[in-house]
Amino acid sequence: MIKPTPKQLFRIQYQQKLTELESQGFSLTHRTMGDIKALFSPEYHECNFPFNSDEETYFFADKDKVDMRIPHQTFLPNFPEHQGYTIMGCTFGHTHTQKEKGDTRRFQEIYEFHGFGAMLLRNPKETTLHILPDRGKVIVGTEDNMTFFNLDSNPLITHDIANQEKDSDGKLLMNSAHKNLEAQLGTFMLLKTKPGKLEFHFNKHYFADPDGIGFVDGDFSPLHIPLMFTPHLGASILVELSQNQSKYEKEFAKRGIKLSIGSNIPEDLEKPFTPSLEQLTKESKPILFKELQITY
């Protein structure tokens, strides 16, 4: 039996998940190589991705654009190997703009990771990298710039809930965002892995150096993390970072980034938010809807 190439395997995984979600009644929105290339940092431009501009790279899925009680999904596979590395799946980032509209909610979106992943959140106060296990949740604020990454060999699937209410012109009222910064500077970070290590590469244009704008005060040199030789990549990353948390907190701090292993759910919401997002949205008066100001 002929072993599929990395790109063929990518397409097989992509088509399988696409078929599964379409059979469940989900509508899909694809991000092509052309879409994401406009957001590349210099580090991404160095990679020779085997995609044409019109080929899909990841997708969003929603089952009902009207009923906000059904979580949206994102399917985020890794990119085929480049020079022996796997380039970890990435959403390339966008900035929430609700706070500048006077939005006082504690958060604009909540994500639940199905698989190992990371959420990078940046706002005027700080830049934080959240490392999340399978079924981990993370909230995203009304002024946060957010990007999430796959941290495992298999594609990452996320569920998310946001208030998708629109005005008469079809414009989002409670979930506004843009990619202006990424279009100008490229995305913040690239992650790549090969057996035995994980590498973080940072876009210097975000840092306070002569060529940068200065959103982050720190060193933008790459960070290399050794990993156990195991087929369970996500678990290896989580174990290494957890067992040596103090060391890596200092390494990320040198780069102006706060490392957080686990969720950022407020203490008063930890217990109410213990069920899955799918379960939370089925409750008659879920506290989640109150936080997001979703009414029925």
Side-chain angles (χ1 to χ4, degrees), residues 27 63 110 112 168 174 184 192 199 217 245 278:
S27 299
K63 195 168 186 179
I110 181 170
E112 179 179 81
S168 58
M174 304 290 284
Q184 178 186 356
K192 62 182 183 179
E199 297 182 9
D217 187 9
Q245 186 168 348
E278 190 172 19

Side-chain angles (χ1 to χ4, degrees), residues 14-281:
Y14 197 99
Q15 186 61 46
Q16 286 176 339
K17 191 62 180 180
L18 181 154
T19 302
E20 174 191 332
L21 290 176
E22 285 186 334
S23 71
Q24 296 173 8
F26 281 86
S27 299
L28 307 183
T29 301
H30 300 271
R31 290 288 182 264
T32 66
M33 177 55 66
D35 294 329
I36 67 172
K37 195 170 184 179
L39 310 174
F40 276 6
S41 65
E43 293 74 22
Y44 275 97
H45 280 296
E46 294 175 1
C47 300
N48 184 27
F49 293 114
F51 291 88
N52 297 321
S53 292
D54 60 350
E55 289 186 283
E56 299 94 350
T57 56
Y58 67 97
F59 65 76
F60 308 99
D62 65 66
K63 195 168 186 179
D64 192 324
K65 294 181 182 296
V66 176
D67 191 343
M68 290 176 272
R69 292 171 293 185
I70 301 173
H72 292 197
Q73 295 190 32
T74 303
F75 178 75
L76 187 64
N78 296 325
F79 293 100
E81 293 182 37
H82 170 69
Q83 296 180 349
Y85 284 91
T86 295
I87 309 300
M88 309 306 289
C90 168
T91 57
F92 293 90
H94 64 263
T95 301
H96 285 175
T97 58
Q98 284 297 127
K99 187 171 183 177
E100 65 188 51
K101 297 179 178 181
D103 194 327
T104 59
R105 291 176 300 165
R106 286 198 280 183
F107 57 93
Q108 185 169 326
E109 286 183 283
I110 181 170
Y111 280 81
E112 179 179 81
F113 281 45
H114 291 244
F116 293 93
M119 176 71 84
L120 180 74
L121 298 179
R122 199 187 69 253
N123 57 51
K125 295 179 181 178
E126 62 185 7
T127 298
T128 306
L129 181 67
H130 294 277
I131 307 296
L132 296 167
D134 184 36
R135 309 297 163 155
K137 297 184 182 71
V138 60
I139 58 173
V140 185
T142 55
E143 63 175 347
D144 283 343
N145 179 283
M146 60 162 283
T147 311
F148 60 88
F149 300 83
N150 188 12
L151 288 183
D152 210 347
S153 301
N154 294 322
L156 173 67
I157 297 168
T158 66
H159 292 186
D160 72 274
I161 292 288
N163 190 327
Q164 301 289 345
E165 184 181 355
K166 298 178 182 179
D167 63 18
S168 58
D169 296 324
K171 187 176 182 180
L172 287 168
L173 294 171
M174 304 290 284
N175 196 29
S176 60
H178 63 65
K179 291 179 174 285
N180 297 351
L181 192 62
E182 287 75 16
Q184 178 186 356
L185 302 179
T187 193
F188 181 86
M189 187 168 70
L190 177 148
L191 273 63
K192 62 182 183 179
T193 185
K194 63 168 43 176
K197 67 176 176 178
L198 173 70
E199 297 182 9
F200 291 78
H201 294 264
F202 306 98
N203 183 345
K204 70 177 183 179
H205 297 303
Y206 284 81
F207 290 78
D209 78 302
D211 298 319
I213 291 179
F215 291 107
V216 182
D217 187 9
D219 174 12
F220 54 82
S221 61
L223 176 57
H224 296 193
I225 295 178
L227 300 174
M228 297 181 294
F229 287 91
T230 168
H232 304 292
L233 176 61
S236 297
I237 293 171
L238 187 62
V239 167
E240 174 64 23
L241 292 176
S242 298
Q243 291 184 346
N244 300 284
Q245 186 168 348
S246 178
K247 169 187 172 182
Y248 290 117
E249 285 175 345
K250 293 176 182 177
E251 286 298 324
F252 278 100
K254 290 177 184 177
R255 293 159 175 84
I257 300 167
K258 178 182 177 182
L259 176 66
S260 174
I261 300 176
S263 176
N264 65 347
I265 302 295
E267 186 176 353
D268 63 306
L269 295 178
E270 287 181 355
K271 186 174 181 180
F273 283 8
T274 299
S276 70
L277 284 189
E278 190 172 19
Q279 290 174 303
L280 284 173
T281 59

